[in-house]
Amino acid sequence: MEIIVIGAVLLGVLTGAIAQKKGYSFLTWFIGGTLLAIVALPEILLKKPNRAGQRQCPACMSWVPQQATACAHCGRDIAVAA
């Protein structure tokens, strides 16, 4: 029984970590991954990254925060969006 609980928690952590890397809530996906890993894990793997509040650098096309004045990846100056 303990192995099942440990396995469920590990699947929850895995699901939450993937979600957080894609810009979603770790806690929400951790709970979903712990309780319903067979549904939550494939769903988060197929979801596209959440890019709300970000924009692409015109020089290198990496994602930067909306208020950034310079790209963290290439270091070029970028205009602040109005």
Side-chain angles (χ1 to χ4, degrees):
M1 181 66 175
E2 294 150 357
I3 293 177
I4 294 172
V5 172
I6 292 170
V9 170
L10 289 176
L11 284 172
V13 169
L14 176 65
T15 304
I18 294 169
Q20 186 176 26
K21 186 172 182 172
K22 290 188 172 192
Y24 296 98
S25 168
F26 174 85
L27 183 60
T28 302
W29 284 94
F30 168 75
I31 293 169
T34 301
L35 298 177
L36 288 170
I38 197 159
V39 175
L41 188 58
E43 183 177 345
I44 196 61
L45 288 172
L46 296 174
K47 269 183 142 347
K48 292 184 179 183
N50 183 8
R51 300 290 185 193
Q54 295 185 342
R55 61 188 170 128
Q56 282 187 306
C57 170
C60 69
M61 303 307 284
S62 65
W63 290 94
V64 296
Q66 194 72 30
Q67 296 81 16
T69 57
C71 177
H73 184 71
C74 69
R76 296 214 180 168
D77 290 334
I78 49 179
V80 177

